[in-house]
Amino acid sequence: MFNIFNTGSKFVEAKELVKEVYLADEKPWVVGFSGGKDSTAVVQLVFQALSELEPSLLKKKVYVISSDTQVETPLIIDKITRTLGRIQNKALAVGLPIETHKVRPKVEQTFWASIIGKGYPTPRQKFRWCTDRLKIEPANRFILDKVDQFGEVVMLLGVRDSESSTRAGVMQSHTIEGSNLMRHSTLRNAFVFAPIRSYTLDDVWEFLLQYESPWGDDNNELLQLYQDSSSECPLVVDKEIKESAGSCGNSRFGCWTCTVVNEDKALSGFINNGVDWLRPLYDFRNFLVQIREDRTKRQKHRMNGEVYLTTNLGGIDPDDLSHPRIYKSEMKHYIEENKINLASVEELDILIIDDENPDALPKRFGVGPFTMKAREEILRKLLQTQEEIRQMHDPNVELITFEELKAIRKYWHDDLQWEDRLPMIVEEETGIVYDWHQNDRPVFKEDQVTDLESLCQEEGVNLNLLKELISVEKEYSGVKVRRGLFQAFDKTLRQDFLHL
């Protein structure tokens, strides 16, 4: 096959630059690999350059890391897993100091633990919490671990100036004068090297299609994946680069759960090309968008308990007198008199009038996390989707792990769901009975919770407040020095959604 490295082109220059930077110091390299065209080009370039160096010069490690958000499109994560294995095996065979790793979010911070466990609303453009939790933080933990071990590291990324003027500006602002490296915007003792920074899109494809993969992949298959997509979702390790990159949901290499975009063109592209077993994922992703916009599925306070009002009336006509209207100063009395639980109430279409400016546009309660009932609904739907795909495609497909289910169970308990319904839901939807840990059992049995509810009603005690206080007490039980207990009680008693 024609070897472009013998043409005197920019590919030769890039390869020589990689050698120069590798030999310049003892800083280990961490190469970001997303499975897309740009990161594949970088890894191939590094592989080729190191293969041409004398073995005695290969003194520092090169870590190739890929981010597994655990909600990646199954076809893509399978391809990435196979590719990482081939890279590792080939590197060992030819004596290159290359190690491949997958980085994943902590179990308590996964997509499902966040949404089903804590009730996070699914991501949107103005609240794109997923990138930090699922991509940036796991990659940064790996990098900082190497910083602690070696003092400094160099990140290699497949970013290019021609991708956008914004990204080019960000890279230029971090470039170190007289150096091939850039400063990382947030990580201490971490630098960034972009070996294909000057490449155009055509350069990337020319390189990949004319130069064979050192580890035996077929880059024509990679090209096939791009037929219905314009870009991949990169491994993001820099918050500023994240902002310049925008959403990756329109791409072939994003998460199948992405709700930031209006339509998931990646999944629909696969389905249109005959991969029918992905349709349940596509339908579930659309369900996540719909349930986010349904006010009845959302608590009427923020995650921290704060109540807020919004002028977004959600289609309510401010002149429609059929909806209750109260002054802001009357809110607490109205909630108590009508025994409204802001954590679970579905319909709450009261309009709030500003005492000081009654002619202003009325407001309504803003929404926060998903209600517990909605979280149960999402979990059931996810497990049903998992079972459907197991029947259609692969009986071993796992959309949510047992470790995530345990984390969700704990979050539900922390959110005062003492009936411990999660094991029952899992058994009903999957037929599987897991060995749940003894310490995860609820504080009270279901009949005891019912008795507690009755007592609170008889005595006029706020049930949610009592549950919160009991949870605080349980958290400090068994501790010899219960420092902070009364401060925790005080914080609980001051929460807005309990006392308006």
Side-chain angles (χ1 to χ4, degrees), residues 79-124:
K79 179 184 183 303
I80 290 173
T81 301
R82 289 194 304 271
T83 298
L84 289 176
R86 289 170 181 165
I87 293 171
Q88 184 66 83
N89 290 337
K90 187 64 175 179
L92 288 172
V94 298
L96 297 184
I98 293 176
E99 289 184 12
T100 61
H101 297 268
K102 273 188 184 179
V103 294
R104 298 179 177 88
K106 294 179 179 179
V107 66
E108 64 271 15
Q109 292 185 328
T110 66
F111 190 79
W112 301 126
S114 298
I115 289 177
I116 302 176
K118 301 189 74 173
Y120 270 48
T122 52
R124 60 195 316 156

Side-chain angles (χ1 to χ4, degrees), residues 33 39 100-101 107 134 217 240 264 276 344 354 367 374 482:
F33 179 69
S39 62
T100 61
H101 297 268
V107 66
L134 306 185
D217 274 0
E240 291 195 20
D264 191 324
D276 291 333
S344 61
D354 190 333
V367 293
R482 303 207 293 173

Side-chain angles (χ1 to χ4, degrees), residues 67 173 200 263 442:
S67 178
S173 67
T200 64
E263 180 189 0

